[in-house]
Amino acid sequence: MLVQQIINGIVVGSVYALTAMGATLVYGIMRILDISNAGAYAIGAYVAFFFLLQTGSPLVALVTGVALTAVFGFLVQKFLYAPLMNKSPNVSLIAGIGLFIFLQDFLRLVAGPQARELNFGTLLPSIQFPSLQLTLYGTWFLILAATALLLLILWLLLNRSPIGLAWRATAQDLETAKAMGINTNRVVAFNFILGYGFAAVAGILVGILYNSVYPTMGDVPAYKMLAVIVLGGLGNPLGTVLAALVIGMAETLIGGYVGFFLPRDAIAFVVLILILLWRPQGLLGRRRSS
Amino acid sequence: MLEIRNLNAHYGHSQVLYDISIDVKAGEFVSIIGANGAGKSTLMKVIMGLVPVSSGKLLFKGNEISRLEPWQRAGMKIAYVPEGRRVFGELTVAENLRIGGWVEPPQDLPRRVEKVVAIFPRLGERMNQAARTMSGGEQQMLAIGRALMLEPELLLVDEISMGLMPILVNRCFEVLKQLSEAGTTILLVEQNARKALGVSHRGYVLETGHIVLEGEATRLRDDDAVRRAYLGG
């Protein structure tokens, strides 16, 4: 039972890490909270659903879902955020919320309000250990493997590649990075492509995990995404992974053991508030000295 | 090399620079002196492309550059040492230098790093250290070294003496003088007028966004008004 809950907590945390990574990357460079990233989560799931229906191939569904959402991220950056870049961050925040609401209603109009099945399940059998009261679901392995692989790729990209060096310099000081010869427009575009790609993977995996996609599936992830990036220290990818695991574990274990005195999502936010009272700068955030 | 003609610039809604005309010839070392808030840093940012030109001309080697992005200007070998150093604190010294030579061919970078280390041996000892862990003086050396990675044709330096101990201030000015003697064209803006005019060929005095005086550095040092206002009597 405990092992089951812990693995479940890690799986939930992995999904949160992928969900919040896109917005973390965007915040790291732009210093704006990109709520519409949670819209990309639903878009990715719907595109994958559509292509699964059309082609019957999970691989085609996955690749097109991620690729088209990444292209969408590029367009959002180019036509929504880039023109607002010199305005106050509040303007971008409101614009992002607006886009997020638009995306939900757009999906409702195009695909209908009902939940659809995103069924990859037959590919992924479960393994049961009745003596241990343990069931390992095939989807769990998929999620853990995908998260580990993507985070490894991201780490290599940020820490071992020229574009990663440009990303880190731009995240620290955009103006100076520009003056040193870094084409920061390109870094920002790359950032959105990567960020929305991550959101799409998260949306697709959650669709597979719960076997459903629906227009408002990005709602709760949008709030959780904010909780995770704030808890992680705003714009720190490693902090985001840590915070996602903390929140995933907390809501699974508290929900499973202490009981459902609160809905699971509420538990996540209680944990967030308690940790922020203890560390206002987030788990891996550095206090900003001015 | 650099020609600024009747240039006006705004920071937000307020005008900061009025009708500025400045010339820097190839090989020259020119200083712009002025009090805090006179618009010196804004002028540097305008030349680098970080603040837009409202009107007027900004020519580099005869080409209008005022519509170019900052990274394109860096590509033309205009290097910038920003006010307050602005090194990338979370990056190592080596990574900071790599970024200084971003627009240059990667295979040429090791040679340039060697050249920078020859000028600032301290940086060589600290290659893999995060820049934020270094002292203010070392960070200033890194900021200059990072700019030199470009092997610049024009070096823009914004306040080299700010917040440094006197011995380091002298060292930094000495380095600029050597670079100038080696042929680098330098435009320095500086509050420490005595030091700046001591190393440069010519100078301009900037007051609340206007150029009020210009001339040979030696002549400015002897000018009564300059002495009273900037050299302490």
Side-chain angles (χ1 to χ4, degrees), chain A:
Chain A
M1 184 64 185
L2 178 65
V3 178
Q4 177 103 32
Q5 292 289 2
I6 289 177
I7 300 175
N8 192 16
I10 295 175
V11 170
V12 171
S14 298
V15 171
Y16 291 165
L18 290 180
T19 309
M21 192 54 73
T24 300
L25 293 172
V26 170
Y27 187 89
I29 297 272
M30 312 274 287
R31 300 290 187 270
I32 52 172
L33 288 168
D34 174 32
I35 306 291
S36 65
N37 198 273
Y41 173 94
I43 300 249
Y46 266 98
V47 173
F49 164 75
F50 176 76
F51 278 91
L52 186 64
L53 223 57
Q54 296 296 313
T55 66
S57 157
L59 188 68
V60 172
L62 198 70
V63 170
T64 42
V66 175
L68 290 182
T69 312
V71 171
F72 173 67
F74 175 77
L75 298 175
V76 168
Q77 179 272 134
K78 187 133 182 85
F79 295 107
L80 184 72
Y81 287 124
L84 299 178
M85 211 164 164
N86 296 322
K87 303 269 193 300
S88 139
N90 293 335
V91 177
S92 301
L93 179 66
I94 302 296
I97 294 173
L99 178 62
F100 176 56
I101 295 171
F102 166 78
L103 289 176
Q104 279 184 355
D105 285 316
F106 177 76
L107 288 174
R108 209 194 317 269
L109 275 174
V110 172
Q114 70 278 29
R116 305 296 191 99
E117 284 191 3
L118 187 59
N119 199 346
F120 287 30
T122 48
L123 289 174
L124 303 157
S126 303
I127 310 170
Q128 300 209 359
F129 301 93
S131 55
L132 299 169
Q133 287 183 301
L134 182 64
T135 307
L136 299 177
Y137 299 100
T139 46
W140 286 7
F141 291 109
L142 175 70
I143 287 173
L144 291 177
T147 308
L149 182 70
L150 286 172
L151 292 180
L152 178 69
I153 291 173
L154 179 67
W155 188 86
L156 289 173
L157 206 57
L158 289 184
N159 292 295
R160 291 284 182 272
S161 76
I163 180 82
L165 182 58
W167 187 91
R168 286 181 291 144
T170 308
Q172 279 175 54
D173 188 340
L174 184 115
E175 190 179 69
T176 305
K178 264 186 208 178
M180 295 300 129
I182 294 175
N183 183 337
T184 51
N185 287 352
R186 247 186 243 165
V187 175
V188 169
F190 162 79
N191 199 34
F192 271 83
I193 289 170
L194 201 62
Y196 278 58
F198 263 87
V201 174
I204 294 169
L205 289 178
V206 169
I208 294 171
L209 182 62
Y210 299 119
N211 193 14
S212 75
V213 295
Y214 49 98
T216 54
M217 66 185 288
D219 275 10
V220 172
Y223 303 125
K224 288 258 174 76
M225 174 182 96
L226 290 181
V228 167
I229 45 187
V230 170
L231 192 58
L234 282 173
N236 180 334
L238 198 60
T240 288
V241 174
L242 189 63
L245 288 174
V246 166
I247 289 195
M249 279 295 206
E251 64 174 55
T252 314
L253 290 181
I254 296 174
Y257 281 97
V258 184
F260 288 92
F261 64 97
L262 282 173
R264 270 176 62 149
D265 297 330
I267 294 172
F269 285 95
V270 171
V271 171
L272 169 77
I273 291 167
L274 290 178
I275 296 181
L276 285 183
L277 285 173
W278 164 59
R279 272 185 79 83
Q281 71 271 40
L283 289 171
L284 292 187
R286 200 177 301 245
R287 274 175 207 275
R288 277 170 208 265
S289 53
S290 51

Side-chain angles (χ1 to χ4, degrees), chain B residues 189-208:
Chain B
V189 305
E190 180 60 52
Q191 273 191 71
N192 189 331
R194 187 185 305 274
K195 294 267 185 228
L197 295 176
V199 290
S200 47
H201 303 126
R202 282 191 309 117
Y204 293 81
V205 180
L206 189 64
E207 256 177 37
T208 58

Side-chain angles (χ1 to χ4, degrees), chain A residues 159 162-163 165-166 168-170 172-185 286, chain B residues 45 48 50 69-71 74 78 80 82 86 88-91 95 98-100 102-103 132 146:
Chain A
N159 292 295
I163 180 82
L165 182 58
R168 286 181 291 144
T170 308
Q172 279 175 54
D173 188 340
L174 184 115
E175 190 179 69
T176 305
K178 264 186 208 178
M180 295 300 129
I182 294 175
N183 183 337
T184 51
N185 287 352
R286 200 177 301 245
Chain B
K45 288 186 176 185
M48 204 60 230
L50 300 170
E69 296 285 359
W71 51 86
I78 303 177
Y80 175 49
R86 307 268 291 260
F88 299 105
E90 302 297 319
L91 304 187
E95 287 172 327
R98 168 83 186 78
I99 284 172
W102 195 254
V103 295
R132 72 181 149 76
R146 182 177 63 179

